[in-house]
C-alpha cells in the first residue's frame, strides 16, 4: 500500500455526502501503486509525475476523472466527457459505493491503461483555435477594429478558445454582442477572461 497523503484524509473527512464513495475510490487508486497528491483542491493520483486520475465530487455524483481519458479505449463504455467542449478529460461517475465496489476490477484496468498511456508519452491532440466557431458578432468587431484583432491573435490559444466558447455559447445575437463588448477591454489589455 502506498503512502497516504494527510491532506486527502482531511478532504475525505470534510465530505459527508460522498465519504464512503471517496474512501473506496482512494483505496482503488492506492492499490494501483499510484502516488497520492492534492492538485486543483482534489485528490490526484500520479505515476512518475504524470497525472493519472483525480477524485472529484459534485452534488449529484462523485467521479474518477482521467486527464487523458480521451486516449483510453473505454471497453465498458463508461467514460463521460464533462461538457461538449471537453477535449481530453473523461469521468467515470458514481452515485453509490456499491457501484464502485462492483466495478473495482474494471476501474483498476482503466487506471492501468492510463498508466500505460503516460509511460508511452501519449498526448491528446487538441483542436486548433481556428476549428472553434467564430461568432459573427465577434468577427464583425475584429474586422472593424484592427487593434482588437491584433490583441486577440496575440493571446495564448487557450485564452482565445475561452473567449470563442464563451461568446458562442449565448443563444441570442444580442447577448453575444453584449459579451463581446464587455470583454473587448480585456482582450485589448492582453488578458484572458479570468485574468
Amino acid at each position: 500500500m502506498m503512502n497516504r497523503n494527510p491532506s486527502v484524509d482531511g478532504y475525505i473527512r470534510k465530505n459527508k455526502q460522498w465519504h464512503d464513495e471517496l474512501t473506496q475510490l482512494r483505496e482503488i487508486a492506492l492499490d494501483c501503486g499510484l502516488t497520492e497528491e492534492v492538485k486543483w483542491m482534489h485528490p490526484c493520483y500520479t505515476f512518475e509525475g504524470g497525472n493519472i486520475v483525480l477524485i472529484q465530487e459534485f452534488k449529484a455524483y462523485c467521479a474518477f476523472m482521467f486527464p487523458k481519458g480521451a486516449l483510453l479505449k473505454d471497453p465498458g463504455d463508461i467514460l463521460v466527457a464533462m461538457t461538449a467542449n471537453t477535449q481530453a478529460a473523461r469521468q467515470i461517475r458514481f452515485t453509490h459505493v456499491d457501484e464502485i465496489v462492483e466495478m473495482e476490477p474494471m476501474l483498476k484496468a482503466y487506471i492501468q491503461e492510463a498508466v500505460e498511456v503516460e509511460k508511452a508519452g501519449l498526448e491528446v491532440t487538441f483542436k486548433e483555435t481556428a476549428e472553434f466557431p467564430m461568432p459573427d458578432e465577434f468577427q464583425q468587431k475584429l474586422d472593424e477594429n484592427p487593434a482588437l484583432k491584433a490583441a486577440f491573435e496575440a493571446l495564448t490559444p487557450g485564452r482565445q478558445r475561452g473567449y470563442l466558447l464563451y461568446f458562442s455559447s449565448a443563444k441570442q445575437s444580442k447577448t453575444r454582442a453584449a459579451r463581446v463588448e464587455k470583454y473587448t477591454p480585456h482582450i485589448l489589455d492582453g488578458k484572458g477572461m479570468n485574468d
Side-chain angles (χ1 to χ4, degrees), residues 4-168:
R4 295 171 182 273
N5 185 316
S7 296
V8 176
D9 293 331
Y11 174 89
I12 292 173
R13 195 172 33 255
K14 287 179 190 172
N15 193 304
K16 305 291 186 223
Q17 179 182 2
W18 299 111
H19 180 273
D20 294 345
E21 291 79 4
L22 300 179
T23 299
Q24 190 65 37
L25 291 173
R26 179 190 200 186
E27 295 306 319
I28 290 169
L30 288 172
D31 282 350
C32 292
L34 301 176
T35 301
E36 185 173 66
E37 302 180 36
V38 175
K39 295 186 179 181
W40 307 286
M41 299 185 305
H42 292 276
C44 180
Y45 298 86
T46 64
F47 177 79
E48 295 180 357
N51 300 327
I52 302 299
V53 66
L54 282 85
I55 294 176
Q56 300 176 310
E57 85 292 332
F58 299 89
K59 222 179 223 183
Y61 62 89
C62 61
F64 258 161
M65 190 276 287
F66 294 88
K68 294 182 181 178
L71 299 176
L72 302 180
K73 293 183 182 93
D74 194 19
D77 196 30
I78 56 175
L79 293 174
V80 177
M82 284 76 81
T83 70
N85 296 311
T86 301
Q87 295 184 59
R90 297 291 184 271
Q91 291 177 328
I92 302 174
R93 296 176 177 174
F94 310 98
T95 57
H96 196 275
V97 71
D98 293 342
E99 295 172 292
I100 299 167
V101 171
E102 183 180 317
M103 294 175 68
E104 183 171 339
M106 184 185 300
L107 297 174
K108 287 182 176 180
Y110 276 67
I111 290 171
Q112 287 311 126
E113 184 183 357
V115 168
E116 293 305 315
V117 163
E118 196 62 34
K119 283 181 183 177
L122 301 178
E123 296 292 335
V124 175
T125 303
F126 291 97
K127 290 195 296 187
E128 296 293 322
T129 302
E131 296 177 66
F132 286 83
M134 173 68 74
D136 292 338
E137 297 80 2
F138 188 46
Q139 184 63 60
Q140 180 181 348
K141 198 79 155 155
L142 294 174
D143 292 343
E144 293 170 359
N145 187 340
L148 179 62
K149 182 176 183 177
F152 182 73
E153 290 172 352
L155 293 173
T156 63
R159 287 184 173 124
Q160 290 176 6
R161 285 191 297 271
Y163 281 119
L164 292 176
L165 290 170
Y166 180 65
F167 296 158
S168 298

